[in-house]
């Protein structure tokens, strides 16, 4: 008698636990990085590499089990993007910290709803579409290589070594900066004609690594934004508003009050254009694929690899989630100056979450398939959501309201946007992971359960990390924020837009000029696309105008060095493997500094000092500047040399 084949390990306890452990590390790193620079990194490939290196030590591990690990870690790491919204509640002074149950509730409810909304899209946008899903395919390739040969095992081990080496080097350098033995930033302000500007660069491995990961197109777009902000706008605006005295205070104030809103205008118009541009293919692709799916599979029994969560379970779960969402929103609306309108606000918000959430799940899922989850402009979705929510509230309540009522409405709009943003981030990541699963033969419903588990893990990790960073550093623009406050650029922008729309005091002039410039940048990007040249994404330009030069310059340099490495990789015997090694090195240097940033926040919070590790005084600054810059360059060179050695010494597949 023939025995049935033994089931292949897939949704196992060890996969869930390992995914949770990786979640803790990568989610914390993404929270810190997103608040510092407004960018996060994709966690699928590094999670897959770590998973393969660890699970290989256990009997019975499989490619499907590794896929579950990367699915959990990817979902949780992506959910960290909720930081683009929720810190706005601290920035406007509504929250003083991040209450765990409320923060976790907003994050989890939006995230799980994002999973449910995107399940029905899998067949349409993953199975029966020709969307490229670049990151999903790359993650599948990593899993297949790592599982298929001795060379794959060697590559996984080498990749893990590179990731750890990069992490140790970047964390070590960050520790030296906190000891004041190496400078964290090099820069100066100076007069330029009758105006003024500055030049600065952060000696940050995390920012440099982000540049490698986002690629040359985004890096050059950010260079365009940097030049626009610091060498065109700021000199012109400072010349038009001359002031005596300290150049840094004068030019810095104009950058914060005018240049950043110009950048916000570029970001806003670029987000609108992105959605308009893909609206037609989104609608056409979904409707045609759904029609084909109904015709092809009517009455057919589905294979295991085609089994999604039952649609009844999905619909029931989505409806059930509306109850805790309603309770959460009621707890917010019924406890302050808008309590008299709580019923109307909660009812309207539920309709907003369902209608806008379904639209956003489709749009972000399609964008992830088209250009990849990392390149998908999800922050633009947040901007449009807060504008829509704020305008609806203005329509209901008007603008001439007491200050406490306006503040309560701004906070309510941010919380509703936080739930919608959770839907957007998870739908953006979900279909990418399901594409990976399709390519490696995973069971969809098990992967969808793993996505829900990842959301729960991420929702538990995000609130304490946010609270820790707020206690230690604070956020730029928040009451009492100090000089070391984290930029939290998207949260600052979204809260400013909500306050401006509801209070009527936005810097409309600079927003309009920024929107006009955004149209020009869009036209430039489209022209480059038609000419089949390297494109310059307008959203990336807008973010570079909005953020300080010290943050953007290392990202640009990382993109340039990363592109040079990739050109070398393309000349090797196995270009795909060589590129992956570079990606893992860059990921390592991002993760190392970011995790140290979270750990250092704990030290600051415990000690009550901004410089608890300093071992030298201000007199050491010249040595720290020169020595720090030289050490930074030397470590970068060493890491890339080590990566190239790992590539050239790897066995053939």
């Amino acid at each position: 008698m023939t025995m049935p084949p033994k089931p292949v390990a897939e949704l196992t306890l060890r996969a869930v636990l390992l995914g949770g452990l990786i979640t803790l590390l990568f989610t914390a790193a993404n929270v810190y990085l997103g608040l510092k620079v407004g960018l996060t990194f994709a966690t699928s490939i590094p999670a897959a590499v770590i998973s393969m290196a660890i699970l290989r030590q256990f009997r019975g591990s499989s490619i499907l089990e590794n896929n579950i690990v990367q699915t959990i870690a990817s979902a949780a790491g992506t959910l960290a993007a909720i930081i683009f919204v929720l810190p706005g509640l601290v920035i406007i002074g509504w929250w003083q910290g991040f209450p765990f149950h409320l923060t976790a509730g907003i994050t989890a409810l939006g995230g799980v709803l994002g999973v449910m909304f995107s399940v029905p899209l899998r067949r349409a946008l993953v199975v029966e579409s020709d969307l490229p899903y670049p990151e999903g395919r790359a993650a599948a390739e990593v899993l297949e290589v790592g599982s298929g040969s001795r060379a794959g095992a060697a590559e996984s081990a080498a990749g893990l070594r590179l990731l750890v080496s990069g992490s140790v080097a970047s964390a070590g350098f960050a520790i030296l900066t906190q000891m004041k033995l190496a400078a964290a930033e090099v820069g100066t302000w100076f007069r330029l004609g009758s105006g003024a500007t500055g030049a600065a660069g952060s000696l940050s491995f995390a920012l440099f690594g982000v540049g490698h990961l986002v690629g040359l197109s985004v890096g050059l777009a950010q260079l365009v934004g940097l030049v626009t902000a610091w060498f065109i706008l700021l000199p012109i605006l400072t010349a038009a508003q001359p002031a005596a005295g300290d150049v840094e205070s004068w030019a810095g104030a104009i950058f914060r009050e005018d240049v950043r809103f110009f950048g916000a205008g570029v970001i806003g118009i670029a987000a609108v254009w992105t959605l308009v541009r893909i609206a037609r293919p989104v609608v056409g692709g979904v409707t045609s694929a759904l029609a084909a799916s109904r015709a092809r599979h009517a009455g057919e029994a589905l294979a295991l690899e085609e089994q999604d969560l039952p649609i009844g379970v999905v619909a029931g779960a989505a409806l059930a989630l509306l109850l805790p969402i309603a309770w959460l929103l009621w707890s917010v609306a019924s406890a302050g100056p808008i309590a008299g309108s709580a019923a109307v606000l909660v009812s309207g918000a539920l309709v907003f979450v369902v209608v806008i959430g379904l639209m956003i799940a489709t749009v972000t899922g399609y964008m992830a398939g088209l250009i990849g989850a990392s390149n998908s402009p999800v922050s633009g979705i947040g901007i449009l959501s807060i504008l829509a929510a704020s305008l609806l509230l203005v329509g209901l309540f008007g603008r001439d309201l007491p200050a406490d009522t306006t503040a309560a409405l701004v906070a309510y709009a941010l919380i509703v946007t936080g739930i919608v943003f959770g839907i957007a981030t998870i739908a953006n990541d979900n279909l990418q992971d399901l594409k990976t699963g399709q390519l490696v033969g995973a069971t969809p419903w098990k992967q969808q359960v793993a996505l829900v588990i990842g959301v729960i893990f991420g929702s538990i990790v995000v609130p304490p990390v946010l609270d820790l960073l707020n206690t230690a550093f604070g956020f730029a623009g928040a009451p009492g924020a100090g000089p070391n406050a984290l930029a939290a650029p998207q949260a600052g922008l979204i809260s400013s837009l909500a306050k401006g729309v509801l209070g009527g005091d936005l810097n409309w002039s600079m927003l309009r000029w920024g929107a006009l410039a955004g149209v020009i940048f869009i036209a430039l990007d489209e022209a480059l696309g038609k000419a089949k040249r390297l494109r310059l994404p307008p959203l990336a330009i807008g973010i570079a105008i909005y953020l300080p030069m010290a943050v953007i310059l290392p990202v640009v340099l990382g993109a340039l060095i990363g592109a040079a490495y990739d050109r070398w990789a393309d000349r090797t015997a196995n270009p795909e493997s060589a590129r992956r090694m570079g990606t893992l090195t860059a990921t390592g240097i991002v993760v190392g500094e970011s995790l140290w940033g979270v750990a250092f926040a704990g030290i600051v919070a415990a000690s009550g000092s901004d410089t608890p590790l300093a071992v030298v005084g201000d007199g050491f600054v010249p040595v720290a500047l020169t020595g720090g810059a030289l050490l930074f360059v030397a470590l970068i060179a060493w890491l890339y040399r080590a990566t190239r050695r790992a590539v050239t010494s790897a066995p053939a597949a």
Side-chain angles (χ1 to χ4, degrees):
M1 181 177 178
T2 303
M3 297 294 291
K6 186 178 180 181
V8 177
E10 189 166 359
L11 185 59
T12 63
L13 177 61
R14 68 188 178 194
V16 171
L17 293 176
L18 180 56
L21 179 61
I22 297 174
T23 286
L24 176 65
L25 300 177
F26 282 0
T27 303
N30 256 337
V31 168
Y32 175 79
L33 187 66
L35 290 171
K36 183 172 182 177
V37 68
L39 297 168
T40 55
F41 63 96
T43 57
S44 293
I45 291 176
V49 170
I50 293 172
S51 173
M52 288 186 295
I54 293 175
L55 289 184
R56 190 178 294 277
Q57 311 306 316
F58 296 88
R59 293 180 60 187
S61 64
S62 72
I63 186 173
L64 301 184
E65 197 174 14
N66 285 313
N67 180 55
I68 290 294
V69 174
Q70 74 85 17
T71 296
I72 292 172
S74 175
T78 298
L79 197 62
I82 197 71
I83 59 163
F84 293 164
V85 178
L86 292 188
L89 291 160
V90 173
I91 291 172
I92 66 172
W94 188 259
W95 284 358
Q96 279 67 55
F98 291 89
F100 180 84
H101 291 94
L102 195 52
T103 306
I106 294 168
T107 307
L109 290 169
V112 176
L113 203 55
V115 175
M116 296 301 118
F117 282 177
S118 57
V119 166
L121 300 174
R122 187 191 72 87
R123 184 172 298 281
L125 294 183
V126 173
V127 178
E128 298 177 0
S129 81
D130 58 358
L131 292 170
Y133 286 98
E135 292 162 0
R137 290 182 182 277
E141 184 184 349
V142 169
L143 289 169
E144 288 171 343
V145 168
S147 301
S149 67
R150 183 172 296 177
E155 181 184 323
S156 295
L160 183 59
R161 285 195 297 271
L162 289 174
L163 193 148
V164 171
S165 297
S167 297
V168 171
S170 64
F173 186 84
I175 291 171
L176 290 178
T177 65
Q178 301 300 345
M179 296 173 71
K180 303 300 181 184
L181 295 174
E185 183 178 315
V186 179
T188 185
W189 294 83
F190 53 89
R191 291 185 177 273
L192 190 64
S194 57
T197 188
S202 173
L203 298 179
S204 166
F205 276 85
L207 299 180
F208 184 93
V210 165
H212 183 130
L213 295 175
V214 299
L216 186 60
S217 179
V218 171
L220 290 180
Q222 297 215 310
L223 178 61
V224 170
L226 184 153
V227 171
T228 301
W230 292 87
F231 299 108
I232 298 175
L233 287 174
L234 195 55
I236 291 173
L237 292 172
T238 49
Q241 304 174 56
D246 182 29
V247 174
E248 180 177 352
S249 300
W250 164 42
I254 291 176
F255 175 80
R256 290 188 299 273
E257 295 165 12
D258 291 331
V259 175
R260 291 185 73 181
F261 275 92
F262 185 98
V266 176
I267 293 170
I269 203 69
V272 171
W273 169 249
T274 301
L275 297 182
V276 169
R277 189 166 173 259
I278 69 167
R280 184 175 176 183
V282 165
V283 174
V286 172
T287 54
S288 63
L290 284 174
S293 175
R294 285 193 298 269
R296 188 175 304 164
H297 296 290
E300 292 184 14
L302 294 177
L304 191 67
E305 61 270 17
E306 292 298 327
Q307 294 179 7
D308 292 291
L309 285 173
I311 194 64
V313 172
V314 171
L319 289 173
L321 285 167
L322 296 181
L323 294 176
I325 289 174
W327 175 84
L328 185 150
L329 294 174
W330 180 267
S331 70
V332 173
S334 63
I338 56 175
S341 304
V344 174
L345 286 168
V346 172
S347 301
L350 289 176
V351 174
F352 184 84
V353 166
V354 171
V355 174
I356 300 299
L358 282 168
M359 292 172 55
I360 280 175
T362 305
V363 170
T364 54
Y366 187 91
M367 288 193 298
L370 191 65
I371 59 176
S374 297
N375 296 320
S376 185
V378 178
S379 58
I381 297 290
I383 291 168
L384 296 179
S385 296
I386 194 65
L387 287 173
S390 300
L391 289 170
L392 286 173
L393 291 175
V394 168
L396 286 172
F397 294 94
R399 282 200 178 94
D400 296 325
L401 301 169
D404 60 341
T405 302
T406 298
L409 289 174
V410 170
Y412 190 77
L414 286 170
I415 289 171
V416 173
T417 298
I419 295 171
V420 172
F421 200 74
I423 295 172
T425 58
I426 289 301
N428 185 54
D429 173 75
N430 188 356
L431 295 178
Q432 197 80 245
D433 288 332
L434 290 173
K435 183 65 179 181
T436 301
Q438 183 216 8
L439 293 172
V440 301
T443 309
W445 74 262
K446 292 181 180 179
Q447 205 172 357
Q448 288 152 3
V449 170
L451 285 161
V452 173
I453 293 171
V455 168
I456 301 301
F457 278 146
S459 302
I460 293 171
V461 173
V462 167
V465 175
L466 274 174
D467 212 37
L468 179 62
L469 295 174
N470 178 51
T471 301
F473 304 122
F475 308 124
N484 296 322
L486 296 168
Q490 284 92 340
L493 172 58
I494 285 172
S495 60
S496 295
L497 290 173
K499 285 195 298 183
V501 171
L502 287 161
D505 58 351
L506 269 181
N507 188 341
W508 288 108
S509 175
M510 293 309 296
L511 280 172
R512 282 193 292 267
W513 283 111
L516 177 60
V519 172
I520 296 171
F521 291 135
I522 288 168
L524 173 63
D525 181 54
E526 291 297 313
L528 290 170
K530 288 181 180 178
K532 302 190 183 305
R533 303 281 186 175
L534 188 70
R535 303 192 69 154
L536 299 172
L539 268 173
I541 295 175
I543 289 173
I545 294 172
Y546 186 83
L547 288 172
M549 184 193 292
V551 171
I552 296 300
L553 188 57
V555 176
V556 173
L557 293 175
L560 294 173
I561 298 297
Y565 173 85
D566 286 344
R567 282 196 296 272
W568 172 84
D570 290 339
R571 299 192 298 270
T572 63
N574 190 343
E576 293 81 5
S577 174
R579 279 177 171 259
R580 283 196 297 270
M581 291 294 192
T583 296
L584 290 169
T585 295
T587 301
I589 64 179
V590 170
V591 169
E593 181 182 321
S594 299
L595 289 178
W596 165 249
V598 175
F600 181 68
I603 296 172
V604 170
S607 67
S609 168
D610 288 340
T611 56
L613 302 182
V615 296
V616 293
D618 292 341
F620 196 75
V621 168
V623 177
L625 281 171
T626 304
L630 292 173
L631 179 60
F632 183 84
V633 171
L635 284 173
I636 292 290
W638 174 74
L639 287 169
Y640 276 95
R641 277 200 303 271
T643 306
R644 292 176 64 159
R645 282 198 302 271
V647 170
T648 55
S649 62

